[in-house]
Short mmCIF file of all heavy atoms in Angstrom, two decimals:
data_model
loop_
_atom_site.label_atom_id
_atom_site.label_comp_id
_atom_site.label_asym_id
_atom_site.label_seq_id
_atom_site.Cartn_x
_atom_site.Cartn_y
_atom_site.Cartn_z
N ASP X 1 -21.12 130.44 222.83
CA ASP X 1 -21.98 129.32 222.45
C ASP X 1 -22.28 129.32 220.95
O ASP X 1 -22.92 128.40 220.45
CB ASP X 1 -23.29 129.33 223.25
CG ASP X 1 -24.08 130.61 223.10
OD1 ASP X 1 -23.46 131.68 222.99
OD2 ASP X 1 -25.32 130.56 223.08
N HIS X 2 -21.80 130.32 220.24
CA HIS X 2 -21.94 130.36 218.78
C HIS X 2 -20.58 130.28 218.07
O HIS X 2 -20.54 130.15 216.84
CB HIS X 2 -22.64 131.66 218.35
CG HIS X 2 -24.06 131.74 218.80
ND1 HIS X 2 -25.14 131.54 217.96
CD2 HIS X 2 -24.60 131.99 220.02
CE1 HIS X 2 -26.26 131.67 218.63
NE2 HIS X 2 -25.96 131.95 219.89
N THR X 3 -19.49 130.37 218.82
CA THR X 3 -18.17 130.50 218.20
C THR X 3 -17.12 129.53 218.73
O THR X 3 -16.01 129.46 218.19
CB THR X 3 -17.62 131.92 218.42
OG1 THR X 3 -17.44 132.14 219.83
CG2 THR X 3 -18.57 132.97 217.89
N ARG X 4 -17.44 128.77 219.76
CA ARG X 4 -16.46 128.01 220.51
C ARG X 4 -15.57 127.14 219.62
O ARG X 4 -14.38 126.99 219.86
CB ARG X 4 -17.18 127.13 221.54
CG ARG X 4 -16.37 126.66 222.68
CD ARG X 4 -17.27 126.27 223.84
NE ARG X 4 -18.63 125.98 223.45
CZ ARG X 4 -19.71 126.23 224.20
NH1 ARG X 4 -19.56 126.75 225.38
NH2 ARG X 4 -20.92 125.93 223.77
N GLY X 5 -16.13 126.56 218.57
CA GLY X 5 -15.36 125.63 217.74
C GLY X 5 -14.72 126.26 216.51
O GLY X 5 -14.07 125.56 215.73
N LEU X 6 -14.88 127.58 216.32
CA LEU X 6 -14.41 128.20 215.07
C LEU X 6 -12.90 128.10 214.90
O LEU X 6 -12.41 127.81 213.80
CB LEU X 6 -14.84 129.67 215.03
CG LEU X 6 -16.25 129.98 214.54
CD1 LEU X 6 -16.47 131.49 214.53
CD2 LEU X 6 -16.49 129.41 213.15
N LEU X 7 -12.15 128.36 215.95
CA LEU X 7 -10.70 128.37 215.83
C LEU X 7 -10.18 126.98 215.49
O LEU X 7 -9.31 126.82 214.60
CB LEU X 7 -10.06 128.89 217.11
CG LEU X 7 -8.53 129.06 217.09
CD1 LEU X 7 -8.11 129.99 215.97
CD2 LEU X 7 -8.03 129.57 218.44
N ALA X 8 -10.69 125.95 216.17
CA ALA X 8 -10.27 124.58 215.87
C ALA X 8 -10.67 124.18 214.45
O ALA X 8 -9.92 123.49 213.75
CB ALA X 8 -10.87 123.62 216.89
N LEU X 9 -11.85 124.62 214.02
CA LEU X 9 -12.30 124.32 212.65
C LEU X 9 -11.39 124.99 211.64
O LEU X 9 -11.02 124.40 210.61
CB LEU X 9 -13.75 124.79 212.47
CG LEU X 9 -14.41 124.46 211.14
CD1 LEU X 9 -14.55 122.96 210.96
CD2 LEU X 9 -15.78 125.13 211.04
N HIS X 10 -10.97 126.24 211.92
CA HIS X 10 -10.07 126.95 211.02
C HIS X 10 -8.70 126.26 210.95
O HIS X 10 -8.11 126.16 209.86
CB HIS X 10 -9.90 128.40 211.50
CG HIS X 10 -8.91 129.19 210.72
ND1 HIS X 10 -9.15 129.64 209.44
CD2 HIS X 10 -7.65 129.61 211.05
CE1 HIS X 10 -8.09 130.30 209.01
NE2 HIS X 10 -7.16 130.30 209.97
N LYS X 11 -8.22 125.78 212.07
CA LYS X 11 -6.93 125.09 212.07
C LYS X 11 -7.00 123.78 211.31
O LYS X 11 -6.03 123.37 210.65
CB LYS X 11 -6.47 124.85 213.51
CG LYS X 11 -6.08 126.13 214.25
CD LYS X 11 -5.65 125.84 215.68
CE LYS X 11 -5.19 127.13 216.38
NZ LYS X 11 -4.80 126.88 217.79
N ALA X 12 -8.15 123.10 211.39
CA ALA X 12 -8.30 121.83 210.67
C ALA X 12 -8.47 122.04 209.17
O ALA X 12 -7.95 121.26 208.36
CB ALA X 12 -9.50 121.06 211.24
N PHE X 13 -9.17 123.12 208.79
CA PHE X 13 -9.43 123.40 207.37
C PHE X 13 -9.16 124.88 207.11
O PHE X 13 -10.10 125.67 207.00
CB PHE X 13 -10.87 123.04 207.00
CG PHE X 13 -11.25 121.63 207.32
CD1 PHE X 13 -12.07 121.35 208.41
CD2 PHE X 13 -10.79 120.58 206.55
CE1 PHE X 13 -12.42 120.05 208.72
CE2 PHE X 13 -11.15 119.26 206.85
CZ PHE X 13 -11.96 119.00 207.93
N PRO X 14 -7.89 125.29 207.02
CA PRO X 14 -7.56 126.72 206.90
C PRO X 14 -8.10 127.38 205.64
O PRO X 14 -8.21 128.60 205.59
CB PRO X 14 -6.02 126.73 206.93
CG PRO X 14 -5.61 125.34 206.62
CD PRO X 14 -6.68 124.44 207.10
N GLU X 15 -8.44 126.59 204.63
CA GLU X 15 -8.96 127.17 203.39
C GLU X 15 -10.48 127.36 203.42
O GLU X 15 -11.05 127.94 202.49
CB GLU X 15 -8.60 126.28 202.19
CG GLU X 15 -7.10 126.06 202.00
CD GLU X 15 -6.35 127.38 201.86
OE1 GLU X 15 -6.86 128.27 201.13
OE2 GLU X 15 -5.28 127.53 202.47
N LEU X 16 -11.13 126.87 204.47
CA LEU X 16 -12.59 127.00 204.58
C LEU X 16 -12.94 128.45 204.91
O LEU X 16 -12.55 128.95 205.97
CB LEU X 16 -13.11 126.06 205.67
CG LEU X 16 -14.60 126.14 206.01
CD1 LEU X 16 -15.46 125.82 204.79
CD2 LEU X 16 -14.94 125.20 207.17
N PRO X 17 -13.68 129.15 204.05
CA PRO X 17 -13.99 130.57 204.32
C PRO X 17 -14.95 130.73 205.50
O PRO X 17 -15.97 130.04 205.59
CB PRO X 17 -14.66 131.04 203.02
CG PRO X 17 -14.40 129.98 202.01
CD PRO X 17 -14.23 128.71 202.77
N ILE X 18 -14.60 131.64 206.41
CA ILE X 18 -15.46 131.98 207.54
C ILE X 18 -15.78 133.46 207.45
O ILE X 18 -14.88 134.29 207.33
CB ILE X 18 -14.75 131.68 208.89
CG1 ILE X 18 -14.40 130.19 208.98
CG2 ILE X 18 -15.64 132.09 210.06
CD1 ILE X 18 -13.59 129.83 210.22
N TYR X 19 -17.08 133.79 207.51
CA TYR X 19 -17.52 135.17 207.37
C TYR X 19 -18.27 135.62 208.63
O TYR X 19 -18.92 134.82 209.30
CB TYR X 19 -18.46 135.33 206.17
CG TYR X 19 -17.82 135.09 204.83
CD1 TYR X 19 -17.96 133.86 204.18
CD2 TYR X 19 -17.08 136.08 204.20
CE1 TYR X 19 -17.38 133.63 202.95
CE2 TYR X 19 -16.49 135.86 202.96
CZ TYR X 19 -16.64 134.64 202.35
OH TYR X 19 -16.05 134.42 201.14
N ALA X 20 -18.17 136.91 208.92
CA ALA X 20 -18.93 137.53 210.02
C ALA X 20 -18.95 139.03 209.77
O ALA X 20 -18.26 139.54 208.87
CB ALA X 20 -18.31 137.21 211.37
N SER X 21 -19.72 139.75 210.56
CA SER X 21 -19.73 141.21 210.44
C SER X 21 -18.37 141.77 210.87
O SER X 21 -17.57 141.09 211.54
CB SER X 21 -20.83 141.81 211.31
OG SER X 21 -20.52 141.67 212.68
N SER X 22 -18.11 143.02 210.51
CA SER X 22 -16.83 143.64 210.84
C SER X 22 -16.59 143.66 212.35
O SER X 22 -15.49 143.35 212.82
CB SER X 22 -16.78 145.07 210.29
OG SER X 22 -16.88 145.08 208.89
N VAL X 23 -17.63 144.02 213.12
CA VAL X 23 -17.47 144.09 214.57
C VAL X 23 -17.26 142.71 215.17
O VAL X 23 -16.40 142.51 216.04
CB VAL X 23 -18.68 144.79 215.22
CG1 VAL X 23 -18.61 144.71 216.73
CG2 VAL X 23 -18.74 146.24 214.77
N THR X 24 -18.01 141.72 214.71
CA THR X 24 -17.84 140.36 215.21
C THR X 24 -16.42 139.86 214.94
O THR X 24 -15.80 139.21 215.79
CB THR X 24 -18.87 139.41 214.58
OG1 THR X 24 -20.18 139.80 215.02
CG2 THR X 24 -18.63 137.97 215.00
N SER X 25 -15.88 140.19 213.77
CA SER X 25 -14.50 139.79 213.45
C SER X 25 -13.52 140.34 214.47
O SER X 25 -12.53 139.69 214.83
CB SER X 25 -14.13 140.27 212.05
OG SER X 25 -14.98 139.70 211.07
N LYS X 26 -13.79 141.54 214.98
CA LYS X 26 -12.89 142.17 215.96
C LYS X 26 -13.09 141.60 217.36
O LYS X 26 -12.16 141.61 218.17
CB LYS X 26 -13.12 143.68 215.97
CG LYS X 26 -12.81 144.38 214.64
CD LYS X 26 -13.14 145.86 214.71
CE LYS X 26 -12.98 146.54 213.34
NZ LYS X 26 -11.58 146.50 212.88
N LEU X 27 -14.29 141.12 217.65
CA LEU X 27 -14.58 140.61 218.99
C LEU X 27 -14.26 139.12 219.15
O LEU X 27 -14.07 138.64 220.28
CB LEU X 27 -16.06 140.83 219.33
CG LEU X 27 -16.54 142.28 219.42
CD1 LEU X 27 -18.04 142.31 219.73
CD2 LEU X 27 -15.76 143.06 220.48
N LEU X 28 -14.18 138.38 218.06
CA LEU X 28 -13.99 136.93 218.13
C LEU X 28 -12.79 136.50 218.98
O LEU X 28 -12.88 135.54 219.75
CB LEU X 28 -13.87 136.34 216.72
CG LEU X 28 -15.18 136.06 215.99
CD1 LEU X 28 -14.89 135.54 214.58
CD2 LEU X 28 -16.01 135.04 216.75
N PRO X 29 -11.62 137.16 218.87
CA PRO X 29 -10.45 136.69 219.64
C PRO X 29 -10.67 136.66 221.15
O PRO X 29 -9.91 135.99 221.85
CB PRO X 29 -9.35 137.70 219.25
CG PRO X 29 -9.75 138.18 217.88
CD PRO X 29 -11.25 138.25 217.93
N LEU X 30 -11.68 137.36 221.66
CA LEU X 30 -11.95 137.34 223.10
C LEU X 30 -12.33 135.95 223.60
O LEU X 30 -12.27 135.68 224.80
CB LEU X 30 -13.05 138.33 223.44
CG LEU X 30 -12.69 139.81 223.28
CD1 LEU X 30 -13.93 140.68 223.35
CD2 LEU X 30 -11.68 140.24 224.34
N ASN X 31 -12.72 135.06 222.69
CA ASN X 31 -13.06 133.71 223.09
C ASN X 31 -11.84 132.83 223.33
O ASN X 31 -11.97 131.72 223.85
CB ASN X 31 -13.96 133.06 222.02
CG ASN X 31 -15.33 133.68 221.97
OD1 ASN X 31 -16.14 133.49 222.87
ND2 ASN X 31 -15.61 134.44 220.92
N TRP X 32 -10.67 133.32 222.96
CA TRP X 32 -9.43 132.55 223.14
C TRP X 32 -8.34 133.49 223.64
O TRP X 32 -7.33 133.73 222.96
CB TRP X 32 -9.02 131.90 221.81
CG TRP X 32 -10.13 131.12 221.19
CD1 TRP X 32 -10.54 129.87 221.52
CD2 TRP X 32 -11.01 131.55 220.12
NE1 TRP X 32 -11.60 129.48 220.73
CE2 TRP X 32 -11.91 130.49 219.86
CE3 TRP X 32 -11.10 132.72 219.35
CZ2 TRP X 32 -12.89 130.57 218.88
CZ3 TRP X 32 -12.08 132.79 218.38
CH2 TRP X 32 -12.96 131.73 218.15
#
């Protein structure tokens, strides 16, 4: 409920910087 649209947003604007903690960066792919 905090990340659902991140991947689509990244694909639409690949140059848009997205930041998160180190652990969150490792866990994010579990949403897809």
Side-chain angles (χ1 to χ4, degrees):
D1 58 324
H2 294 256
T3 63
R4 201 159 21 213
L6 277 181
L7 185 57
L9 185 64
H10 175 73
K11 291 179 177 178
F13 305 105
E15 301 303 317
L16 175 61
I18 300 175
Y19 294 99
S21 70
S22 298
V23 173
T24 295
S25 299
K26 298 177 186 296
L27 297 178
L28 277 177
L30 291 168
N31 290 289
W32 308 281

